[in-house]
Amino acid sequence: MGPKANMQIEHANRTREIIMRFYKAAFAVLPMTLIASGTVAQDQPANDRLKFSVSGQINRGILFFDDGVESNELFVDNDNSSTRLRAKLSYDFGQVTVGGEIEYEFEFSSTAEINQINTDDSVSVANERKFELFVQGGFGKLSVGQGDSASNSVSEVDLSSTSVIGYSGIADFAGGLLLRDGAGALTAVNIGSVFSNLDGNSRIERIRYDTPTYKGFTGSISLGQDDQEDLAVRYSGTHGDYRVSGALSYNTTNSRDRINGSVSALHNPTGISLTFATGRDDLDSGAPDPGFNYIKVGYQTDDLLPWGKTAFAIDYYDGGDIGIAGGNAESFALVAVQNIDRYDTEIYAGYRNYSFDAPGQTFQDLDGFLIGARFRF
């Protein structure tokens, strides 16, 4: 048996092990919740108070690329919204709800990892995204464990209905692909290292508190490991014909301070949307501070096809000093998404161009075309 076959077996065994851990952890919480249920008044049947769900999604696609020298196609897991599995258990005590959530990500040949050298479509990544307990009520929500920091996704508010194929995190489209220099040689610089939406502190071990929502506003604070601290405010509301959502955060690590945010507005009668995101870092090292701006115009309609909503969008990204001091990154995209409501599925297609330059270095543009489908269950 060759090395490749052994690697495939190892990946398969690891995936099975994680799935078993996932379900064991989910069902381990169930007896404790049932015991706790005996302490509440029986004014409502216990089975109405207890909620348990298993859900997830599969998101597969084909990424075609042209890096200036090589044109090829890769079978990928779309990292814009990766394949994942989750379990959630909660119990309603009347004024307070207590529960837990577990979520794992399973990516085979992720667009964030696969490249011109590593084209093996058996490559898999299994990540623990969430493993947390929570309690919520009129006081808000308190969460403990691995989960979203207060600032996670603050750069990613988007009402265009096209985020599955394109949003401010433009590196997810083809982040693993390597750029070529002016002579055509592959470099060590990949898309993901020099294109970023400078989002918050992602999913970490933390304690997080979210306030009750007041007039559309919700505040959040979290304290995480490795000096990761976050403050964020989010808004969602309707004003006449417009739906508006936005978020803003200040977050820190032991190496930088960051301010980032995004806002998106949808005009319901026409289906036209406008989205803007931005972020800036203050690096402790004294190196040039990275920053980016992102703008997107979208259109969505329920009238084009009988299957469900159809959405189109164009976007433009400009970033500086991300990954390489003095580097300038630009990207634009055209994307389309068709919902098939009957089967909880979206089919999508998108083209994206990446352009990057840095002092004393020349890189060739990279073009990507991604088609695929996301099925939710």
Side-chain angles (χ1 to χ4, degrees), residues 26-263:
F27 283 102
V29 185
L30 183 61
M32 292 184 290
T33 307
L34 291 173
I35 293 171
S37 68
T39 65
V40 300
Q42 299 302 310
D43 58 340
Q44 184 178 346
N47 59 354
D48 289 340
R49 294 178 175 271
L50 180 67
K51 295 181 180 179
F52 176 70
S53 64
V54 175
S55 60
Q57 62 187 46
I58 299 172
N59 193 350
R60 297 294 296 172
I62 305 174
L63 174 63
F64 303 86
F65 71 88
D66 183 342
D67 61 15
V69 174
E70 178 185 356
S71 297
N72 210 337
E73 69 280 340
L74 301 167
F75 292 87
V76 296
D77 197 288
N78 178 359
D79 197 54
N80 282 283
S81 180
S82 59
T83 295
R84 62 193 65 165
L85 182 66
R86 72 182 65 86
K88 188 173 183 178
L89 179 68
S90 66
Y91 194 88
D92 180 7
F93 287 90
Q95 300 298 318
V96 174
T97 298
V98 177
E101 183 173 0
I102 303 166
E103 183 177 77
Y104 273 93
E105 171 184 70
F106 302 91
E107 290 189 284
F108 293 81
S109 297
S110 167
T111 55
E113 301 292 337
I114 201 165
N115 58 41
Q116 297 93 322
I117 299 173
N118 177 22
T119 61
D120 186 351
D121 63 9
S122 70
V123 174
S124 64
V125 177
N127 293 320
E128 179 184 292
R129 287 169 57 89
K130 293 184 179 181
F131 209 101
E132 63 178 349
L133 299 173
F134 65 84
V135 55
Q136 64 183 39
F139 55 86
K141 182 178 182 181
L142 183 67
S143 307
V144 180
Q146 178 164 308
D148 293 322
S149 70
S151 61
N152 193 30
S153 301
V154 162
S155 291
E156 301 167 359
V157 175
D158 192 326
L159 299 178
S160 71
S161 297
T162 61
S163 294
V164 67
I165 181 65
Y167 72 115
S168 67
I170 64 165
D172 292 347
F173 191 102
L177 290 177
L178 302 170
L179 295 174
R180 290 186 181 269
D181 63 23
L186 284 175
T187 71
V189 179
N190 65 16
I191 295 295
S193 66
V194 291
F195 289 82
S196 172
N197 66 352
L198 301 182
D199 195 28
N201 286 332
S202 191
R203 288 167 300 278
I204 57 175
E205 291 286 349
R206 88 295 187 238
I207 180 169
R208 169 174 169 169
Y209 170 69
D210 297 279
T211 69
T213 299
Y214 177 73
K215 294 187 176 182
F217 288 93
T218 304
S220 305
I221 183 172
S222 63
L223 302 175
Q225 60 184 10
D226 300 325
D227 298 323
Q228 298 184 79
E229 301 173 352
D230 309 68
L231 289 170
V233 60
R234 291 172 171 82
Y235 173 79
S236 182
T238 300
H239 302 270
D241 291 333
Y242 292 89
R243 179 184 169 197
V244 179
S245 294
L248 180 68
S249 80
Y250 171 75
N251 53 92
T252 69
T253 68
N254 54 18
S255 62
R256 55 88 181 149
D257 295 342
R258 174 174 294 170
I259 296 177
N260 62 301
S262 55
V263 62

Side-chain angles (χ1 to χ4, degrees), residues 258-280:
R258 174 174 294 170
I259 296 177
N260 62 301
S262 55
V263 62
S264 188
L266 171 65
H267 186 239
N268 289 307
T270 63
I272 295 173
S273 63
L274 181 64
T275 300
F276 176 73
T278 189
R280 294 291 181 275

